[in-house]
Amino acid sequence: MGADASGQESLHPAGWPRPAGYANGIAAQGRAIYVAGQIGWDPTTQTMVGADFAAQADAALANVIAVLGAGGAAPRDVVRLTWFVTDRAEYIAARRALGAAYRARFGAHYPAMSVIFVSALLEPGAKVEIEATAVVPRVRSSEQHRGEGHA
C-alpha cells in the first residue's frame, strides 16, 4: 500500500481484517513531534471540563491539537495515539460520542492507536489522558496546505 497525501503509509499485514477506527501501523518520514499526555481540562484555568467522559476526551483531543500546532503539526500528521482510561465501562458506554468527538477533531484520519485501562490518573477527576506522536513531512505540497486539519 502506498503513502497517502501526508506521506504516511498504513501498514496492514496480508490476510488481516482492516481495523475500524485505527491503523495497525503507520510508516512516515519527517520531523517527529511527541505530545505528552493531555487531559480534559482547560489549560489556562487548569480546571476539568466536567465529569462527562466524552467531554473530557474531546477536551484532551483539543489539547493534543493545540500542542501539535505549537510544533507546526496538524491532526493529519499524527501517527500514534495512546489513550489512558480509568473506567472501561464508561469508555464503552461513551463510544458513540467519542467517535463523533474524534471525527470532529481528526476527520477520517486514523493513526495507530492503543487504549490502556489504568486505575487512576495523576490529576484528580481526570478520566482520560491522551498521548500523541506526529511526523511532519519535510515538504508539504500546496494541496496539503489547502486541506489543513480540523481544530
Side-chain angles (χ1 to χ4, degrees):
M1 186 176 292
D4 66 14
S6 69
Q8 296 177 10
E9 179 182 358
S10 292
L11 307 175
H12 300 289
W16 285 26
R18 288 194 72 74
Y22 66 95
N24 286 304
I26 298 285
Q29 292 184 0
R31 179 173 172 251
I33 296 178
Y34 304 92
V35 179
Q38 301 296 309
I39 59 174
W41 69 354
D42 177 323
T44 304
T45 64
Q46 296 186 350
T47 57
M48 300 305 293
V49 297
D52 180 72
F53 185 89
Q56 283 195 21
D58 183 54
L61 289 169
N63 293 336
V64 165
I65 291 169
V67 176
L68 290 170
R76 71 169 179 280
D77 299 317
V78 172
V79 296
R80 180 165 189 74
L81 289 173
T82 304
W83 295 51
F84 299 91
V85 174
T86 60
D87 187 322
R88 185 179 190 279
E90 198 168 9
Y91 171 83
I92 298 297
R95 285 180 81 176
R96 176 178 230 109
L98 288 175
Y102 180 89
R103 287 185 302 278
R105 301 274 181 198
F106 279 74
H109 176 66
Y110 300 107
M113 288 193 232
S114 297
V115 177
I116 301 167
F117 297 101
V118 297
S119 63
L121 296 168
L122 182 62
E123 189 65 33
K127 297 180 177 189
V128 60
E129 184 169 327
I130 304 172
E131 293 179 347
T133 303
V135 177
V136 181
R138 295 188 199 295
V139 178
R140 288 205 196 274
S141 71
S142 59
E143 184 153 314
Q144 283 179 288
H145 284 297
R146 283 195 300 274
E148 278 301 312
H150 307 70

